[in-house]
């Protein structure tokens, strides 16, 4: 009997010990996965400074990861205890030591789970540095399978600067988003400098998301912020955008990166405002233009296309960009009209413009073309028509890509679309890529409203003119240098030149692509209307007999108001080498080689249009 009692006592003690070993330390409400976005100093006024993920178990054991802007991830372990009276779970020890290697001081991390297990408070400390804190970290909670809300679906997001950008890209980043049945938000788009943006974010119980992304994959860079979806009042969800100068997101890039294609000196952190709206797909038999109200039974409409930033002086590129666009039945962004110098037909626009919208995502994209001229032997570059630089001139056509998203909402103050453009350099040796802003205002006007008078510039420019007299500037004619004194004998003279100080006709073709003067046809090389047109037949292979003509235009009528012509011809010449002292005997006394001759003409009175 004693042995039986002894065995029962042993079993009871063992059972109690086993039960104690598996008894939960944390209640179910405090068990799960958490995220917290760290901020410098204070979450209300600071900027993002790191990211914490944490997974807790009922035993109090936890694993986590710390990500900061040094582009590294630091794993850590923690042990939590729980105080039922305060419903607070904290770690033991109170500060977790996170090693950064043998040469760097360790981080100290304190964590607390509160508010019925839904909130994670964090403080990251480093001796001699500002604390990094998070007061609104949250428990990740998948959307319930039985939920009936309209959260799942497609969204479009725009990250717009909160105020003027002094240094850095001034346009909006964007993303097309999709929320699945579990509430997971997936993003795909581009940041304001063209950097790719992809992310998959998990929700909390309040449809909140947190993002900390090193999109550039370099230390000191981050794109970070929070997304909080709330009811939009019509059975859907959107983000209530912060009010400037506050911000929803921040984007930073470090400096001292001499090999980067853009913003080598860095920028930011740039404060950004988030606009996030549902993207509704066109219904069966419905076009995107009809969905947006651009095509209606009562008529069709147009909208603006605003371009700014990146140091782009649009006055130097008149005739390049549309002022008004519309969307056709095939989802193309179609120019309605531009300024007085812009193309007047679809075929002409197609040479310098493309644009489209993807109705499945709300993303728009396209290109426009800028034409520049500069001296490749010098660091400067300037648009055609600003000045006449030294030859050889190089014509550069830059194809500028633009992209963004449409924001299909009636919310006041929200544009129809927001995005950015990426501006390639004129001279890649001395300049870098820049980025600017694309905005499509939400104001729709009847199609054609505000169209400039038809053909004001194009038809005014084309035609036949007479310049009288057409004057040759003799002092620039190198073929008339005192050749004997220089030991040079020019064998011949320039030919095909207009007779000096006589009436000379010239004709600009109806499509402005050629100029004919003194019987010689020259192709268009640069269009800087309404200031000027540049015609030249000089190429890499044709340089021995070239003609370059600049026609200056009246900015009101478009007619030619001045003309400047430069003839370059290589003439044969004999160079007397015998006059050079100390020349070795095996060197010939003379050689025959090309001699560059120039003839420059300009008008002494304004050209007169005769037909």
């Amino acid at each position: 009997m004693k042995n039986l009692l002894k065995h029962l006592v042993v079993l009871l003690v063992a059972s109690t010990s086993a039960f104690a070993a598996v008894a939960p330390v944390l209640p179910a409400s405090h068990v799960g996965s958490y995220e917290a976005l760290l901020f410098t100093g204070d979450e209300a006024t600071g900027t993002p400074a790191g990211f914490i993920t944490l997974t807790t178990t009922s035993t109090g054991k936890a694993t986590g990861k710390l990500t900061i802007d040094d582009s590294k991830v630091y794993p850590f372990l923690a042990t939590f205890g729980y105080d039922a009276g305060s419903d607070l779970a904290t770690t033991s020890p109170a500060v977790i030591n996170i090693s950064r290697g043998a040469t760097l001081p360790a981080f100290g991390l304190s964590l607390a789970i509160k508010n019925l297990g839904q909130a994670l408070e964090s403080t990251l400390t480093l001796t001699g540095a500002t604390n990094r804190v998070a007061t609104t970290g949250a428990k990740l909670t998948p959307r319930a399978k039985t939920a009936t809300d309209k959260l799942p679906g497609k969204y479009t997001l725009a990250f717009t600067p909160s105020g003027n950008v002094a240094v850095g890209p001034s346009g909006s980043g964007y993303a097309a988003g999709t929320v699945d049945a579990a509430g997971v938000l997936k993003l795909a788009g581009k940041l304001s400098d063209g950097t790719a943006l992809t992310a998959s974010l998990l929700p909390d119980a309040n449809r909140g998301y947190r993002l900390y992304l090193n999109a550039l994959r370099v230390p000191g860079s981050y794109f970070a912020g929070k997304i909080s979806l709330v009811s939009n009042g019509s059975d859907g969800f959107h983000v209530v955008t912060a009010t400037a100068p506050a911000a929803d997101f921040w984007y930073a890039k470090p400096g001292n990166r001499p090999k980067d294609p853009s913003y080598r000196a860095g920028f930011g952190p740039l404060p950004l405002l988030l606009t996030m709206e549902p993207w509704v797909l066109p219904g069966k038999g419905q076009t995107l233009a009809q969905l947006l109200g651009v095509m209606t039974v009562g008529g069709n409409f147009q909208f603006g296309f605003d371009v700014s930033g990146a140091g782009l002086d649009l006055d130097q590129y008149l005739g390049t960009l549309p002022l008004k666009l519309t969307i056709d039945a095939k989802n193309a962004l179609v120019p309605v009209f531009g300024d007085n110098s812009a193309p007047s037909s679809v075929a002409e626009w197609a040479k310098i413009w493309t644009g489209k919208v993807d109705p499945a995502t709300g993303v728009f994209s396209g290109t426009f073309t800028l034409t520049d001229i500069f001296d490749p032997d010098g660091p400067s570059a300037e648009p055609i028509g600003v000045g006449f630089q030294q030859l050889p001139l190089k014509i550069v056509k830059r194809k500028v890509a633009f992209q963004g998203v449409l924001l299909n909402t009636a919310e006041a103050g929200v544009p129809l679309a927001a995005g950015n453009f990426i501006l390639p350099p004129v001279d890649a040796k001395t300049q870098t890529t820049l980025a600017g802003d694309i905005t499509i205002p939400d104001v729709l006007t009847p199609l054609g409203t505000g169209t400039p008078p038809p053909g004001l510039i194009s038809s005014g420019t084309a035609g036949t003119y007479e310049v009288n007299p057409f004057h040759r500037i003799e002092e620039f004619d190198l073929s008339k240098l005192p050749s004997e004194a220089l030991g040079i004998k020019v064998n011949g003279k320039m030919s095909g030149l207009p007779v000096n100080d006589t009436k000379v006709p010239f004709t600009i073709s109806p499509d402005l692509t050629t100029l004919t003067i003194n019987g010689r046809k020259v192709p268009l090389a640069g269009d800087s209307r309404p200031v000027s047109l540049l015609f030249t037949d000089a190429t890499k292979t044709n340089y021995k007999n070239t003609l370059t003509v600049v026609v200056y235009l009246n900015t009101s009528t478009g007619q030619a108001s001045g003309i400047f012509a430069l003839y370059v011809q290589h003439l044969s010449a004999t160079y007397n080498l015998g006059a050079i002292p100390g020349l070795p005997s095996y060197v010939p006394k003379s050689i025959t080689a090309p001699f560059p001759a120039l003839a420059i003409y300009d008008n002494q009175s304004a050209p007169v249009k005769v037909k």
Side-chain angles (χ1 to χ4, degrees):
M1 187 68 176
K2 290 183 179 180
N3 288 336
L4 179 59
L5 290 174
K6 182 177 180 180
H7 285 300
L8 288 174
V9 171
V10 171
L11 288 173
L12 180 60
V13 171
S15 299
T16 303
S17 299
F19 178 77
V22 297
V25 174
L26 295 180
S29 59
H30 290 59
V31 175
S33 296
Y34 293 81
E35 288 180 345
L37 182 61
L38 297 171
F39 288 80
T40 54
D42 177 74
E43 186 169 346
T45 60
T47 54
F51 194 68
I52 291 173
T53 60
L54 178 73
T55 300
T56 61
T57 65
S58 61
T59 64
K61 300 296 184 182
T63 59
K65 292 181 180 179
L66 166 67
T67 303
I68 59 172
D69 57 6
D70 64 359
S71 193
K72 293 182 180 180
V73 177
Y74 300 94
F76 63 87
L77 301 175
T79 301
F80 279 88
Y82 177 68
D83 179 64
S86 61
D87 188 39
L88 184 66
T90 56
T91 61
S92 178
V95 178
I96 304 165
N97 188 71
I98 300 178
S99 174
R100 302 170 68 204
T103 60
L104 294 174
F107 279 123
L109 176 63
S110 60
L111 300 171
I113 301 174
K114 57 192 303 185
N115 294 349
L116 301 177
Q118 295 303 305
L120 173 65
E121 290 190 352
S122 314
T123 300
L124 188 69
T125 59
L126 180 65
T127 302
T130 303
N131 287 350
R132 309 178 188 207
V133 301
T135 57
T136 58
K139 185 178 184 179
L140 301 179
T141 306
R143 178 175 175 271
K145 294 181 180 180
T146 57
T148 59
D149 58 41
K150 301 297 183 181
L151 180 66
K154 295 179 180 292
Y155 294 81
T156 52
L157 299 83
F159 305 92
T160 305
S162 176
N164 295 327
V165 177
V167 178
S170 59
S172 297
Y174 72 92
T178 302
V179 176
D180 65 17
V184 177
L185 171 60
K186 293 183 178 180
L187 303 177
K190 291 185 178 181
L191 300 180
S192 54
D193 62 349
T195 299
L197 167 62
T198 57
S200 181
L201 310 180
L202 302 176
D204 60 32
N206 296 314
R207 304 182 187 90
Y209 303 85
R210 288 141 297 277
L211 174 63
Y212 188 86
L213 180 68
N214 190 331
L216 297 173
R217 296 182 175 85
V218 296
S221 170
Y222 64 83
F223 176 73
K226 296 181 180 181
I227 299 173
S228 180
L229 287 170
V230 299
S231 173
N232 62 6
S234 58
D235 203 26
F237 294 88
H238 72 161
V239 166
V240 176
T241 304
T243 301
D248 300 300
F249 270 75
W250 291 260
Y251 185 24
K253 177 184 178 179
N256 193 27
R257 299 189 58 79
K259 295 184 179 181
D260 281 9
S262 65
Y263 300 104
R264 295 171 178 174
F267 55 78
L270 302 177
L272 305 172
L273 302 176
L274 170 62
T275 303
M276 180 174 177
E277 296 290 341
W279 178 249
V280 180
L281 300 179
K284 185 177 181 180
Q286 184 184 39
T287 66
L288 178 61
Q290 292 169 335
L291 174 67
L292 297 175
V294 176
M295 286 186 177
T296 69
V297 175
N300 297 335
F301 293 84
Q302 64 190 16
F303 43 82
F305 184 72
D306 297 343
V307 177
S308 63
L312 193 62
D313 184 358
L314 296 180
D315 289 340
Q316 306 294 350
Y317 301 97
L318 297 177
T320 299
L321 292 169
L323 297 177
K324 297 293 182 181
L325 297 173
T326 191
I327 301 176
D328 68 11
K330 295 183 179 180
N331 308 313
L333 289 171
V334 181
V336 180
F337 63 84
D339 55 47
N340 290 339
S341 305
S344 56
S345 69
V346 174
E348 289 178 347
W349 274 115
K351 297 177 182 179
I352 60 173
W353 168 272
T354 65
K356 63 180 180 179
V357 181
D358 182 354
T361 62
V363 173
F364 71 85
S365 61
T367 62
F368 55 86
T369 301
L370 303 178
T371 301
D372 297 87
I373 183 170
F374 81 109
D375 181 357
D377 295 327
S380 63
E382 61 183 39
I384 297 170
V386 173
F388 192 80
Q389 297 178 318
Q390 293 183 343
L391 293 178
L393 299 177
K394 183 177 181 181
I395 306 298
V396 177
K397 290 187 178 294
R398 294 187 284 171
K399 183 167 286 189
V400 181
F402 64 86
Q403 52 274 312
V405 289
L406 272 65
L407 299 161
N408 189 10
T409 177
E411 192 80 15
V414 178
L416 177 61
N420 59 73
F421 67 88
I422 307 301
L423 182 67
V426 175
D427 181 8
K429 294 180 180 179
T430 60
Q431 301 169 337
T432 60
T433 299
L434 298 173
D437 178 59
I438 297 290
T439 300
I440 297 179
D442 64 343
V443 178
L444 298 181
T445 56
L447 196 66
T449 303
T451 303
L456 177 62
I457 292 296
S458 295
S459 62
T461 302
T464 299
Y465 299 80
E466 290 180 347
V467 54
N468 186 20
F470 202 30
H471 178 68
R472 180 174 178 178
I473 306 174
E474 297 289 347
E475 57 266 29
F476 285 94
D477 183 357
L478 300 186
S479 67
K480 294 191 175 184
L481 287 173
S483 57
E484 297 299 329
L486 296 175
I488 303 172
K489 181 181 180 182
V490 179
N491 305 316
K493 61 181 180 179
M494 299 181 73
S495 60
L497 303 179
V499 177
N500 187 32
D501 287 335
T502 62
K503 182 190 298 183
V504 175
F506 65 92
T507 300
I508 300 175
S509 64
D511 60 1
L512 310 186
T513 59
T514 60
L515 176 141
T516 303
I517 183 169
N518 203 39
R520 184 167 178 172
K521 183 178 290 187
V522 188
L524 178 70
D527 184 346
S528 189
R529 288 176 291 164
V531 178
S532 62
L533 295 171
L534 175 71
F535 301 86
T536 184
D537 55 11
T539 65
K540 289 183 178 179
T541 56
N542 178 38
Y543 57 88
K544 294 182 179 180
N545 185 355
T546 66
L547 171 58
T548 299
V549 180
V550 178
V551 177
Y552 298 98
L553 305 176
N554 183 305
T555 56
S556 297
T557 65
Q559 293 188 11
S561 60
I563 183 170
F564 175 95
L566 170 64
Y567 289 82
V568 179
Q569 296 179 11
H570 284 201
L571 304 179
S572 173
T574 301
Y575 294 80
N576 180 14
L577 304 182
I580 302 176
L583 199 67
S585 58
Y586 57 81
V587 176
K589 299 299 182 181
S590 65
I591 60 172
T592 300
F595 181 89
L598 307 181
I600 300 176
Y601 290 79
D602 68 358
N603 57 284
Q604 296 296 293
S605 60
V608 176
K609 190 172 186 179
V610 295
K611 63 178 179 179

